[in-house]
Amino acid sequence: MKIEHIGIAVNSLGSSDDLFERLLGKKNYKQESVAREGVTTSFYEVGESKVELLEASNDDSPIAKFLKKKGEGIHHIAFGVDDIYAEIERLKKEGFIFISEEPKDGADNKLVVFLHPKSTNGVLIELCQEKA
């Protein structure tokens, strides 16, 4: 397992991309819309990990709700795994609670699943696996 990326909820990709380009000294390598989740993402490589900026594309999306409740900031930490199905089973046996136990297509060519923050000290954890 490794830290694959840190997701940051932002009000505007335009201004946040400008900020992160200046901060990291480089442009994003990908911007992608995930309509099913109501989000547009922007990815930056940082060493062996990434930063994912998340902007809500509709008022009902999870990111829009997060921004209304907590404002801009860290939304989740994603751990890259080799076998997402094996990790789901292992973590269920350890007593962790999932928002959904069925992986779904996520941004950046990944299968993703989220652990509920109430079982991870209040932090939303994403597991992600590169799709074949």
Side-chain angles (χ1 to χ4, degrees):
M1 214 183 275
K2 68 171 190 169
I3 294 178
E4 209 284 335
H5 68 267
I6 296 174
I8 301 173
V10 301
N11 290 320
S12 165
L13 279 184
S15 60
S16 295
D17 271 333
D18 178 60
L19 182 147
F20 274 84
E21 286 173 11
R22 289 184 293 118
L23 176 69
L24 300 173
K26 59 180 154 184
K27 293 196 173 290
N28 65 5
Y29 72 87
K30 175 190 266 188
Q31 196 170 84
E32 180 179 354
S33 177
V34 183
R36 179 182 33 72
E37 295 297 321
V39 68
T40 303
T41 65
S42 186
F43 282 92
Y44 292 84
E45 291 178 325
V46 183
E48 294 183 17
S49 298
K50 301 170 194 160
V51 170
E52 176 189 30
L53 304 180
L54 303 134
E55 176 188 71
S57 57
N58 67 58
D59 291 337
D60 295 327
S61 74
I63 294 301
K65 292 173 185 172
F66 178 90
L67 287 166
K68 285 177 190 165
K69 184 176 180 182
K70 297 187 177 183
E72 293 183 300
I74 293 177
H75 178 259
H76 67 272
I77 299 174
F79 292 100
V81 298
D82 292 328
D83 184 342
I84 199 166
Y85 296 97
E87 283 300 313
I88 291 168
E89 290 308 311
R90 182 183 75 78
L91 293 170
K92 280 175 26 184
K93 288 177 185 170
E94 292 289 337
F96 290 93
I97 301 166
F98 286 80
I99 292 175
S100 169
E101 295 177 13
E102 188 60 36
K104 56 187 171 182
D105 290 339
D108 206 26
N109 196 42
K110 302 282 191 287
L111 281 176
V112 301
V113 66
F114 289 89
L115 283 81
H116 199 288
K118 68 181 171 186
S119 69
T120 56
N121 286 350
V123 178
L124 181 63
I125 299 293
E126 175 183 359
L127 300 180
C128 58
Q129 175 188 318
E130 190 79 28
K131 290 193 292 187

